[in-house]
Amino acid sequence: MDLIEKSKKYLWLPFTQMKDYDENPLIIESGEGIKVKDIHGKEYYDAFSSVWLNVHGHRKKELNDAIKKQLDQIAHSTLLGMTNVPATELAEKLVEISPKSLTRVFYSDSGAEAMEIALKMAYQYWQNIGKTKKQKFIAIKNGYHGDTIGAVSVGAIDLFHQVYGPLMFESYKIPVPYVYRHPSENAEICRDECLHELEQLLKEKHEEIAALSIESMMQGAGGMILMPEGYLSGVRELCTKYDVLMIVDEVATGFGRTGKMFACEHEGVEPDLMAAGKGITGGYLPVAVTFTTEKIYEAFYDDFQKFKTFFHGHSYTGNQLGCAVALENLRLFERDDLVNQVAEKSEYVKELLEELKELPHVGDIRQLGFMCGIELVLNKETKEPFPFEQRVGYKTSLKMRELGLLTRPMGDVLVFMPPLVSTKEELKEMLKIYKQAILEVPVKEAEYFAGANA
Ligand SMILES: *Cc1c(COP(=O)(O)O)cnc(C)c1O
């Protein structure tokens, strides 16, 4: 049996309708720089950083060497009741680069777990300090925080989450400031309305609310929804005013992705809890982290028999190989002044995206640093979307695959999230492929739609 047949016979892939996979199988064999190569030798730009992870490109020598060096010491020992060398060094480094309110790190293996941990910490914090009525959460509509049940409970993408409804704990959902689809189309009006709605809820319910969870500056999986200026800091002010903890999800936006080390720095926001993952190891190994404040940490610090311990952990928490490569990743960030590089190059990306905006069926383009979404619509004037069943985003991305580029859309929002080291030349080449695919697929699909409805 060849590999493709084996993959169809034995595997079940995440977030994948396997019927789609069977029609369009793909097996990656190697990578170099910002490209990956499949088993037939065809090369692709990794324009979504292998789902938002990759930082320095693939097979980066320094990262490879860091893992090899750590392997010669030890691969893994537990973090339950003890620690290890790289996990400790990394903790110091992480606290150093994070917003200054955040002084403690708790490791896990994925972004969803880091969020799950933040939620449990927030919940138990209020229990530990005797404010036991504070048990509920506020979430943002259209938000995404990962796929474990707790993370899904504060997520709100109907397509992903509806089916699990009965399994989730309830949370209050407030609207996201989605300017492009707001009746006013005005960023400030849209922002102020959303903040007003949040304040109404807080006024009424704050005594029963433990925390609010929010993606930082940009909703990712919900379709790259960029929050208007002043929104995240407005949410911070309201959380403080009503004594509700603010959990910021930086899993997608953290580690330089948006042109700051963490996206909440764009608005000087200091969260009470912050989840990060994805780029932390440069896209190499599964490490994630929940940051918190000394105040929250201290609410758990007591004699054992007081039952204030945080009862949570995973087998591979603080894995040495992962922490070693994360440390080297952060060293490269400094050495290459990478965050400023991204900030600078994202101006260039902006210029290139301006050109795409002129294309037919490109309704809206949203960008923060190297995190970009291109929303395709049937009708640019009315913003009418393509019918869901027509799968225009999916088909456009398949076209790009044919043209030698990998990305994965959210509905009809095309994603452009290249590795942070991408050069101007590479950024230009990649966006050329987007342009070509957009000129071919959505146009054809619109004609088909018109024909079918004639
Ligand atoms: C990817 C993502 C997660 C989940 O991280 P995993 O490592 O896939 O579990 C959580 N929040 C946001 C904003 C993400 O983009």
Side-chain angles (χ1 to χ4, degrees):
M1 211 188 304
D2 79 359
L3 262 183
I4 295 278
E5 282 174 54
K6 280 187 200 171
S7 76
K8 291 184 181 181
K9 185 164 160 55
Y10 296 111
L11 272 168
W12 190 349
L13 306 177
F15 265 112
T16 302
Q17 173 48 260
M18 290 307 287
K19 192 158 183 275
D20 288 340
Y21 177 78
D22 286 350
E23 283 163 22
N24 292 290
L26 175 63
I27 304 180
I28 299 300
E29 188 173 70
S30 63
E32 177 87 62
I34 70 157
K35 286 188 171 173
V36 294
K37 198 188 275 185
D38 72 15
I39 51 170
H40 306 299
K42 183 173 163 81
E43 286 193 322
Y44 309 85
Y45 281 112
D46 188 358
F48 66 155
S49 301
S50 297
V51 188
W52 318 358
L53 307 174
N54 196 277
V55 175
H56 306 285
H58 296 280
R59 248 167 69 207
K60 181 82 177 170
K61 184 171 188 309
E62 291 87 337
L63 298 181
N64 289 9
D65 289 346
I67 294 175
K68 288 177 192 161
K69 196 165 154 217
Q70 180 58 42
L71 256 182
D72 284 336
Q73 294 291 322
I74 184 173
H76 182 79
S77 64
T78 186
L79 228 65
L80 273 61
M82 63 188 79
T83 180
N84 66 56
V85 176
T88 309
E89 298 281 0
L90 179 62
E92 179 190 28
K93 194 78 214 161
L94 288 169
V95 168
E96 200 180 295
I97 62 169
S98 66
K100 68 174 188 309
S101 62
L102 302 169
T103 55
R104 290 276 167 182
V105 299
F106 192 104
Y107 292 116
S108 54
D109 317 327
S110 70
E113 287 165 76
M115 276 305 294
E116 201 82 24
I117 287 161
L119 295 166
K120 285 176 76 176
M121 273 181 184
Y123 180 91
Q124 193 178 340
Y125 166 76
W126 296 112
Q127 302 296 311
N128 281 2
I129 65 165
K131 291 200 175 180
T132 52
K133 277 201 301 195
K134 283 170 100 55
Q135 298 191 2
K136 298 217 165 124
F137 292 89
I138 300 179
I140 315 293
K141 280 182 194 155
N142 203 47
Y144 176 78
H145 299 291
D147 298 321
T148 55
I149 293 293
V152 167
S153 297
V154 290
I157 300 178
D158 287 347
L159 177 67
F160 304 165
H161 298 155
Q162 218 160 27
V163 58
Y164 308 109
L167 293 180
M168 298 182 215
F169 59 79
E170 268 179 64
S171 61
Y172 295 107
K173 305 280 195 308
I174 56 164
V176 59
Y178 188 174
V179 179
Y180 176 63
R181 296 215 172 264
H182 190 265
S184 72
E185 292 181 56
N186 177 296
E188 278 131 55
I189 296 175
C190 177
R191 173 197 68 200
D192 291 347
E193 258 183 32
C194 290
L195 287 174
H196 180 73
E197 196 157 326
L198 172 59
E199 178 145 31
Q200 292 309 109
L201 176 65
L202 285 167
K203 238 184 219 161
E204 203 184 314
K205 306 277 188 196
H206 67 98
E207 283 180 352
E208 57 177 75
I209 290 169
L212 170 146
S213 69
I214 186 168
E215 284 160 271
S216 193
M217 296 302 291
M218 194 143 181
Q219 282 189 331
M224 300 291 163
I225 314 296
L226 180 62
M227 299 168 186
E229 212 180 306
Y231 175 73
L232 198 73
S233 51
V235 171
R236 171 70 272 184
E237 278 170 32
L238 290 172
C239 286
T240 305
K241 181 170 169 192
Y242 291 95
D243 204 18
V244 159
L245 299 175
M246 183 182 191
I247 302 172
V248 169
D249 182 345
E250 290 265 3
V251 176
T253 50
F255 298 100
R257 175 54 62 187
T258 70
K260 298 273 185 195
M261 187 51 92
F262 295 100
C264 58
E265 293 169 31
H266 286 286
E267 303 221 330
V269 164
E270 302 268 342
D272 299 297
L273 292 137
M274 184 171 97
K278 291 201 167 113
I280 189 172
T281 60
Y284 264 60
L285 283 166
V287 173
V289 61
T290 306
F291 295 82
T292 191
T293 61
E294 215 56 19
K295 186 175 161 194
I296 292 177
Y297 174 78
E298 276 166 9
F300 292 74
Y301 192 92
D302 209 336
D303 296 328
F304 180 75
Q305 54 273 27
K306 300 269 177 62
F307 297 111
K308 289 184 178 174
T309 307
F310 187 53
F311 294 106
H312 188 110
H314 299 281
S315 308
Y316 283 96
T317 295
N319 173 262
Q320 276 100 322
L321 296 176
C323 291
V325 74
L327 267 171
E328 183 63 14
N329 174 38
L330 293 178
R331 194 185 69 81
L332 296 182
F333 262 93
E334 272 172 27
R335 187 197 70 184
D336 301 342
D337 191 23
L338 195 56
V339 177
N340 288 324
Q341 290 273 337
V342 170
E344 192 240 317
K345 278 186 267 185
S346 59
E347 288 301 314
Y348 181 63
V349 171
K350 193 172 166 191
E351 283 170 35
L352 296 171
L353 290 174
E354 288 294 326
E355 282 177 46
L356 295 189
K357 205 156 183 188
E358 306 306 316
L359 301 182
H361 304 290
V362 173
D364 193 26
I365 294 188
R366 300 178 285 272
Q367 180 205 1
L368 192 63
F370 274 17
M371 187 164 181
C372 317
I374 301 161
E375 182 164 342
L376 301 174
V377 291
L378 178 61
N379 186 321
K380 280 177 83 148
E381 307 308 310
T382 64
K383 305 183 183 176
E384 183 189 351
F386 281 100
F388 168 79
E389 322 75 74
Q390 219 169 327
R391 308 191 75 189
V392 173
Y394 176 70
K395 289 176 192 164
T396 309
S397 296
L398 277 182
K399 181 74 198 177
M400 289 193 260
R401 186 199 280 194
E402 209 181 290
L403 297 171
L405 179 146
L406 297 182
T407 183
R408 190 182 153 86
M410 261 92 56
D412 289 342
V413 178
L414 304 177
V415 169
F416 182 55
M417 279 178 78
L420 302 189
V421 291
S422 305
T423 63
K424 286 187 175 176
E425 198 49 44
E426 289 166 332
L427 292 164
K428 192 171 160 186
E429 286 303 310
M430 284 186 271
L431 284 171
K432 232 191 235 172
I433 294 178
Y434 279 72
K435 183 172 176 181
Q436 190 179 340
I438 292 170
L439 281 171
E440 287 184 34
V441 180
V443 171
K444 207 164 69 194
E445 291 295 324
E447 281 165 11
Y448 172 82
F449 178 84
N453 287 280

